[in-house]
Amino acid sequence: MKPTKCQSQQIAKKQSLFFESAIDLFCIASFDGYFKFLNPAWTKTLGWSQEELQAKPFIEFVHPEDREITNFNTQKLVKCQADVIGFDNRYLCRDGSYKWLSWNGNIDIAEKVIYAVARNVTSQKERETLIQQNIKELEAFKFALNAHSLVAITDIQGRITYANDQFCEVSKYSREELLGQDHRIINSAYHPKEFFPNLWRTISQGKIWKGEIKNKAKDGTFYWVDTLIAPLLNDDNKPYQYVSIRTDITQRKLSELALLERSRLSLLSADVSLALSQSGTLPEVLQHCTDTISQYLDVTFACIWTFERQTQQLELQAGVQCQNSSCNVLQHNQDFPNHMVLANKIIGVMAHNYQPIINEQFKINNQDKVINQAFLGLQFSAYPLIIEQQLIGVIALFNQQLFTEATHNLLNWIANNIAVAIDRIWAREELLSRREALLLSLASQIRNSLDIDTILETAVNEIRSLLQVDRCYFLEYLSNPSQSSFTITHESRNYQLPTMLGNMPLQNNDFIKQVFLNQEIICINDIYNHSNIDQNTQALLSEFGITSQLLLPVKSNSGEMGAIVCSHCSGERVWSQSEIGLLQAVTDQLAIAIDHAQLYNQSRAATLAAQTQAEQLTTTLYQLQQTQSQLIQHEKMSSLGQLVAGVAHEINNPVNFIHGNLTYANEYFEDLIKLVNLYREHYPNPKAEIQELTEEVDLDFLANDLSKLLNSMNMGTNRIREIVLSLRNFSRLDEAEKKLVDIHEGIDNTLLILHHRWKNSGIGLNISIVKEYGNLPLIDCYPGQLNQVFMNILTNAIDALEDSIVSHHERLSQPQIQIRTEILDNNFISISFADNGSGMTDEVRSRLFDPFFTTKPVGKGTGLGLSISYQIIVEKHGGTLQCFSEPGKGTEFLLKIPVR
């Protein structure tokens, strides 16, 4: 039945509403390539208006890469090669982007138009592209993972359900052998007990575990893997299986372990060398060695025996036993009662060839049952201690692991060095014993006889016998105004050598003479290879066949000089420090002997010439002046220190009382002010009498000023307490002995005590103190005495500046004292005090340190301050004290004292 016109209009209206509300893109295109109809979805999807889309051929909106497929499918419809087409392409949006459209279309041949519908599939296309990309990445990751990593998957119980080829190759197990097993099949037992429980605790909580694991392959070899274990979680976030990804790092770990071993062995070598270089008894040095070995090597037991030199019996010198990372020293036989059984067993093994025993399994026979059973199963190594083809001891080591070749080589080196050290210590002990005997003999000679000839004869004979030299003699130096001379007075020599007794020629040879004057030690190992001697001295020594020589000067208090000379006539002789030390001790004894003999001769020669008596009296008077000045200054500073300490104590008590009560006074004052303010708040209109008094006393000003007054008093008491502390630190009555102190603290305390003088002396002095402190260590010194030196020097500097301004009426732009400290290269520190006063003449400066010399008026100076300061720095501290000054250019005092 043919629809009516009204029905047709309704149908057309519904069709139009359908096309307008559709989300798909409907269109009608003519064969010429232009759109004839477009529904609104085109504009919503692409942004173009219908007019813009219909103004151009539709192919211009297609992505250039998709135009070929678009033309191909369009031509198939036009040429009737297909009734319906379907394909995807990209259409240009108004904003310049492209969207994917999926097309379906057919044609009307009669009307020569194409009916097509397109759907926006951009999101779907992007998802497909991302999925394809992820698939490619996963494939590449899987390939790389299987090629370079050991991959395994286990179930929740840890049983292996998957193992890749790399895992099988490295572990040496087939896949069939691994599947169904847990990872204990490759456990190396290397890691501590808590290692794997902690690992399982981590992954069972759904967390990733990372770390390095040492595993054991099927063939017994070990390999290291860098491991990541990731749990796979179900919907409840509970692990249902674990993926283990491992990287073989065996070569890296072996390199690290080798590097670590080399580092450890280097440290062991250095520490053993340090231990052997230290002073101490033989057991102390060897115990230090065993302690060091146990520290760097994983040994269970280490011991060192030596042969007793007289009885040739083994003697336990040092030992250590380690268990559970704790090592105990074997100090006595009670700690190791059966050590001799073990020692004899070791010696019995190496008695034939003296060769080391390396990494052997220790066995105990029936007769050795007394040996500790803990040695069973341990690796045993022993190294002989050999000197000049003689076995002097043995080192025994027990450990769990085998020693590497590098460790063995180092232990062999250590054994050789320990043997040398033992021989050196034995020789030193013998030398010390003979040295003590020689010194006792000389001391006995001094006590029993005042005959200098007997003493010198004994000395040269004993020294030659002890040092095994070709010749030993005493050389006396006589300094006369007309001509100086050398005389060999006593000699002990090899009978094959000619005597050298008598005078020695000094023509054209000032080298030895200068050595005597400077009191230097001459140590010549080879006269032909010694850079400090001239040709004349070399010729003189060669004349007597001397090839090496050691000379130590002897000087008595009276000024007479001589020397003990040891010489060798058969090639080079290297003089050791112990030999030099022995001769220094002997020369000290000889100096005492000479002094005693001279005093004895002086007491018998009371009728010597007046000139000799005058010289002796001058020397005695000088010594008396030195002693007197020391006593005066000591008493003066002792009394001053006691006075300062007493005054400081007496001031400190009331000041502490005042300072402590100021806090409460301030609190009370604040409470009273609060109370007054409350009265003023609640009684704003007081009686006339109160109002008048309030205005008279100016209550607001009083409250404000009283608070400032209390703060000022608090600052004043703090200042007094600082001064009292400085006085107590300066006096240092309890520091008569040496101790480590901060030099800067002593200088600052002295400046604080002298503050009233240098800051403003009442005459407008106002000296500027410039400090240039260096970074000094703590100094080992007598702090109280150094404070005296600082006080003397700073007082003199202030006096000099005051004298320059007041007495000489000089104009100083700014009176100044500069204090500079620094550390020197040779373990000394320097302290400089420099003022810009009027300076002094050379005559005054040359007598500056003489006792009782002063340029100050009578009653103002004693002339002892700088003399005592010189003695404190030079004699008490082994330093130097110098003064640099020129008229008009100020004065500088430079102190140098050793750090220790």
Side-chain angles (χ1 to χ4, degrees):
M1 183 177 183
K2 190 175 181 179
T4 65
K5 182 178 181 180
C6 181
Q7 289 175 333
S8 299
Q9 290 176 348
Q10 290 178 352
I11 292 172
K13 184 177 181 180
K14 289 181 180 180
Q15 290 176 347
S16 175
L17 181 63
F18 170 75
F19 282 110
E20 289 180 359
S21 61
I23 62 174
D24 290 335
L25 287 73
F26 291 95
C27 68
I28 300 174
S30 61
F31 283 3
D32 60 2
Y34 286 84
F35 288 119
K36 297 184 67 177
F37 169 79
L38 298 167
N39 69 335
W42 281 86
T43 300
K44 293 179 181 179
T45 302
L46 301 180
W48 303 103
S49 66
Q50 291 188 5
E51 293 77 10
E52 290 173 326
L53 289 170
Q54 292 175 344
K56 298 179 181 180
F58 61 76
I59 196 67
E60 293 187 14
F61 294 95
V62 178
H63 193 283
E65 295 179 0
D66 300 335
R67 289 177 182 177
E68 183 178 352
I69 191 172
T70 302
N71 286 327
F72 175 77
N73 284 281
T74 303
Q75 290 301 318
K76 285 176 64 177
L77 286 175
V78 172
K79 295 178 180 180
C80 299
Q81 295 177 352
D83 295 332
V84 178
I85 59 171
F87 68 97
D88 298 338
N89 66 3
R90 287 165 286 182
Y91 256 71
L92 178 67
C93 299
R94 188 177 183 81
D95 61 3
S97 62
Y98 285 89
K99 290 189 177 179
W100 280 95
L101 301 179
S102 180
W103 292 91
N104 285 294
N106 55 20
I107 64 170
D108 187 335
I109 296 297
E111 296 185 8
K112 295 184 178 181
V113 293
I114 300 173
Y115 294 94
V117 59
R119 175 163 292 179
N120 183 5
V121 293
T122 303
S123 299
Q124 179 181 349
K125 283 288 186 179
E126 289 176 349
R127 285 196 298 272
E128 290 177 357
T129 302
L130 181 61
I131 289 172
Q132 290 298 325
Q133 182 178 355
N134 289 340
I135 290 174
K136 290 181 180 179
E137 291 178 353
L138 288 174
E139 289 294 332
F141 177 74
K142 180 180 178 182
F143 175 79
L145 199 63
N146 283 322
H148 301 285
S149 299
L150 290 71
V151 182
I153 301 177
T154 65
D155 58 18
I156 191 66
Q157 284 78 28
R159 291 187 293 269
I160 300 173
T161 59
Y162 170 79
N164 70 343
D165 294 339
Q166 191 76 5
F167 187 8
C168 298
E169 180 181 350
V170 174
S171 68
K172 306 295 192 300
Y173 287 100
S174 66
R175 187 172 283 104
E176 291 74 17
E177 291 175 314
L178 291 173
L179 295 180
Q181 299 289 335
D182 58 27
H183 279 81
R184 282 178 291 188
I185 190 174
I186 54 174
N187 191 349
S188 65
Y190 170 80
H191 300 282
K193 295 180 180 179
E194 65 274 8
F195 181 83
F196 288 105
N198 291 338
L199 183 155
W200 278 102
R201 190 179 301 111
T202 301
I203 62 176
S204 62
Q205 294 174 355
K207 300 177 183 177
I208 293 176
W209 185 92
K210 295 180 180 179
E212 296 179 351
I213 302 178
K214 184 179 181 180
N215 289 331
K216 185 177 182 180
K218 183 178 180 180
D219 61 0
T221 59
F222 296 96
Y223 63 94
W224 282 87
V225 286
D226 188 2
T227 304
L228 182 146
I229 302 177
L232 301 182
L233 308 179
N234 56 24
D235 295 338
D236 297 331
N237 287 327
K238 300 292 184 181
Y240 65 90
Q241 65 181 3
Y242 303 102
V243 177
S244 174
I245 302 173
R246 304 177 180 89
T247 302
D248 189 355
I249 58 171
T250 304
Q251 292 303 318
R252 192 197 81 192
K253 291 297 290 187
L254 291 177
S255 299
E256 289 178 356
L257 293 174
L259 182 62
L260 181 62
E261 181 182 26
R262 287 197 297 270
S263 175
R264 186 177 69 252
L265 294 181
S266 297
L267 292 174
L268 172 59
S269 172
D271 283 0
V272 168
S273 298
L274 179 62
L276 295 177
S277 66
Q278 300 297 314
S279 60
T281 64
L282 183 61
E284 290 172 347
V285 172
L286 296 185
Q287 187 62 55
H288 196 171
C289 291
T290 56
D291 292 343
T292 303
I293 291 173
S294 66
Q295 178 184 354
Y296 288 99
L297 300 181
D298 186 19
V299 297
T300 304
F301 177 89
C303 239
I304 299 178
W305 290 272
T306 61
F307 281 116
E308 204 283 325
R309 288 174 292 178
Q310 300 298 327
T311 63
Q312 289 295 301
Q313 292 295 318
L314 281 172
E315 182 177 356
L316 177 64
Q317 295 290 354
V320 62
Q321 188 168 10
C322 301
Q323 188 176 8
N324 298 327
S325 301
S326 176
C327 296
N328 298 317
V329 175
L330 303 176
Q331 294 180 337
H332 306 288
N333 290 341
Q334 288 78 5
D335 297 332
F336 189 20
N338 298 311
H339 73 93
M340 286 304 302
V341 178
L342 179 62
N344 288 324
K345 182 177 180 65
I346 296 171
I347 291 297
V349 174
M350 63 171 55
H352 300 292
N353 54 16
Y354 291 173
Q355 293 298 315
I357 302 169
I358 306 168
N359 295 330
E360 288 194 3
Q361 192 78 21
F362 190 74
K363 299 178 181 180
I364 298 178
N365 300 325
N366 293 333
Q367 63 270 26
D368 299 332
K369 288 183 178 179
V370 293
I371 299 180
N372 193 337
Q373 298 296 314
F375 292 142
L376 285 175
L378 296 178
Q379 305 298 325
F380 165 65
S381 298
Y383 298 86
L385 306 177
I386 301 173
I387 288 292
E388 296 179 354
Q389 306 302 319
Q390 295 295 321
L391 185 66
I392 64 170
V394 64
I395 303 176
L397 302 166
F398 293 83
N399 57 302
Q400 298 282 355
Q401 303 294 330
L402 296 175
F403 283 148
T404 63
E405 183 178 358
T407 303
H408 159 65
N409 292 334
L410 178 62
L411 287 172
N412 208 23
W413 176 85
I414 288 174
N416 292 333
N417 281 270
I418 287 178
V420 173
I422 292 172
D423 186 62
R424 185 182 68 248
I425 292 174
W426 282 348
R428 185 183 65 194
E429 290 175 350
E430 183 177 357
L431 180 63
L432 289 175
S433 176
R434 298 186 63 185
R435 169 180 171 173
E436 291 175 0
L438 175 59
L439 294 179
L440 287 174
S441 174
L442 290 175
S444 177
Q445 290 286 344
I446 292 172
R447 287 193 303 270
N448 298 329
S449 173
L450 291 174
D451 184 5
I452 192 65
D453 290 330
T454 304
I455 296 171
L456 292 175
E457 192 69 33
T458 302
V460 296
N461 283 314
E462 291 294 334
I463 291 173
R464 178 176 174 270
S465 174
L466 178 62
L467 300 185
Q468 295 296 303
V469 294
D470 292 336
R471 191 194 308 267
C472 179
Y473 55 89
F474 182 77
L475 182 62
E476 183 180 30
Y477 175 67
L478 299 177
S479 179
N480 297 319
S482 59
Q483 183 179 5
S484 301
S485 64
F486 284 102
T487 303
I488 298 177
T489 60
H490 301 81
E491 177 190 48
S492 176
R493 59 185 172 83
N494 188 320
Y495 71 94
Q496 296 177 343
L497 298 175
T499 182
M500 291 178 59
L501 290 174
N503 294 334
M504 286 187 63
L506 284 178
Q507 291 81 1
N508 301 322
N509 194 330
D510 295 329
F511 174 75
I512 297 178
K513 179 179 178 180
Q514 196 61 40
V515 166
F516 267 79
L517 294 177
N518 296 336
Q519 290 292 286
E520 298 176 358
I521 296 175
I522 297 179
C523 182
I524 303 173
N525 297 330
D526 186 350
I527 66 170
Y528 301 107
N529 294 304
H530 197 277
S531 58
N532 292 335
I533 62 174
D534 54 26
Q535 294 182 351
N536 294 329
T537 304
Q538 187 181 89
L540 177 64
L541 297 177
S542 299
E543 181 181 348
F544 293 97
I546 297 173
T547 57
S548 61
Q549 183 164 280
L550 177 62
L551 182 150
L552 279 86
V554 179
K555 184 178 181 180
S556 66
N557 288 333
S558 63
E560 295 190 11
M561 291 182 289
I564 289 290
V565 184
C566 296
S567 61
H568 216 59
C569 301
S570 55
E572 180 183 8
R573 167 67 182 260
V574 178
W575 305 101
S576 66
Q577 289 298 321
S578 61
E579 292 172 334
I580 297 174
L582 168 63
L583 291 185
Q584 285 179 322
V586 171
T587 54
D588 290 341
Q589 292 287 341
L590 288 178
I592 296 172
I594 293 171
D595 284 337
H596 285 193
Q598 287 174 344
L599 290 174
Y600 176 71
N601 293 331
Q602 289 168 6
S603 66
R604 296 180 59 190
T607 59
L608 285 176
Q611 183 181 1
T612 305
Q613 292 178 355
E615 292 176 355
Q616 292 175 352
L617 288 174
T618 301
T619 302
T620 305
L621 178 60
Y622 177 79
Q623 294 175 349
L624 179 60
Q625 287 177 337
Q626 294 289 328
T627 305
Q628 183 180 7
S629 63
Q630 292 176 4
L631 291 174
I632 292 173
Q633 184 68 5
H634 178 76
E635 185 63 27
K636 174 184 174 182
M637 295 311 298
S638 176
S639 300
L640 177 60
Q642 293 175 359
L643 176 61
V644 168
V647 170
H649 178 72
E650 292 302 321
I651 294 175
N652 197 46
N653 289 335
V655 167
N656 284 339
F657 174 78
I658 296 171
H659 183 78
N661 287 330
L662 281 175
T663 302
Y664 300 105
N666 191 54
E667 294 177 356
Y668 299 157
F669 162 70
E670 290 178 357
D671 292 338
L672 289 174
I673 291 300
K674 290 179 182 177
L675 180 60
V676 170
N677 289 335
L678 286 174
Y679 269 105
R680 296 174 72 178
E681 179 181 354
H682 294 288
Y683 299 98
N685 299 313
K687 292 182 178 182
E689 183 179 357
I690 297 175
Q691 183 65 32
E692 291 175 0
L693 181 60
T694 301
E695 294 175 356
E696 179 180 342
V697 300
D698 194 355
L699 185 60
D700 293 331
F701 170 80
L702 185 147
N704 183 49
D705 194 61
L706 185 55
S707 176
K708 295 179 180 178
L709 181 62
L710 289 173
N711 287 334
S712 178
M713 293 170 67
N714 187 59
M715 290 173 60
T717 55
N718 277 327
R719 177 61 177 165
I720 294 173
R721 294 173 72 192
E722 291 175 359
I723 293 174
V724 168
L725 180 60
S726 296
L727 288 173
R728 295 176 62 186
N729 288 339
F730 178 81
S731 63
R732 294 186 181 268
L733 290 178
D734 57 339
E735 296 180 2
E737 297 297 329
K738 272 192 174 183
K739 65 178 295 185
L740 293 174
V741 297
D742 183 356
I743 290 295
H744 296 154
E745 180 183 353
I747 297 174
D748 291 339
N749 287 334
T750 307
L751 288 171
L752 185 58
I753 293 171
L754 296 174
H755 184 273
H756 68 286
R757 294 205 57 201
W758 61 265
K759 190 60 179 176
N760 192 336
S761 65
I763 60 172
L765 200 57
N766 197 23
I767 299 172
S768 173
I769 303 295
V770 179
K771 300 178 184 178
E772 295 179 6
Y773 287 172
N775 186 15
L776 301 185
L778 296 181
I779 307 303
D780 189 19
C781 65
Y782 298 94
Q785 296 185 18
L786 277 187
N787 285 345
Q788 297 173 27
V789 175
F790 300 154
M791 175 68 78
N792 290 334
I793 294 176
L794 286 170
T795 300
N796 285 340
I798 295 171
D799 289 343
L801 291 172
E802 183 177 353
D803 184 64
S804 297
I805 295 175
V806 178
S807 301
H808 299 285
H809 306 289
E810 295 179 6
R811 291 290 180 183
L812 293 177
S813 59
Q814 173 61 58
Q816 176 180 290
I817 297 176
Q818 185 181 47
I819 306 174
R820 184 176 66 255
T821 64
E822 62 179 333
I823 182 74
L824 304 179
D825 293 338
N826 53 352
N827 290 325
F828 274 69
I829 66 165
S830 71
I831 310 169
S832 169
F833 298 90
D835 64 66
N836 59 348
S838 58
M840 64 183 75
T841 63
D842 289 341
E843 180 181 359
V844 173
R845 185 172 56 81
S846 64
R847 301 185 57 195
L848 202 59
F849 300 112
D850 292 345
F852 307 108
F853 174 78
T854 179
T855 59
K856 298 178 181 178
V858 177
K860 192 171 182 180
T862 63
L864 292 176
L866 291 179
S867 174
I868 295 301
S869 298
Y870 186 88
Q871 293 176 9
I872 290 173
I873 296 299
V874 176
E875 298 178 9
K876 296 289 287 187
H877 289 86
T880 61
L881 174 57
Q882 297 172 286
C883 176
F884 304 93
S885 181
E886 292 182 22
K889 295 187 179 180
T891 302
E892 179 186 13
F893 284 91
L894 180 61
L895 292 73
K896 294 182 182 179
I897 58 175
V899 175
R900 294 287 185 272

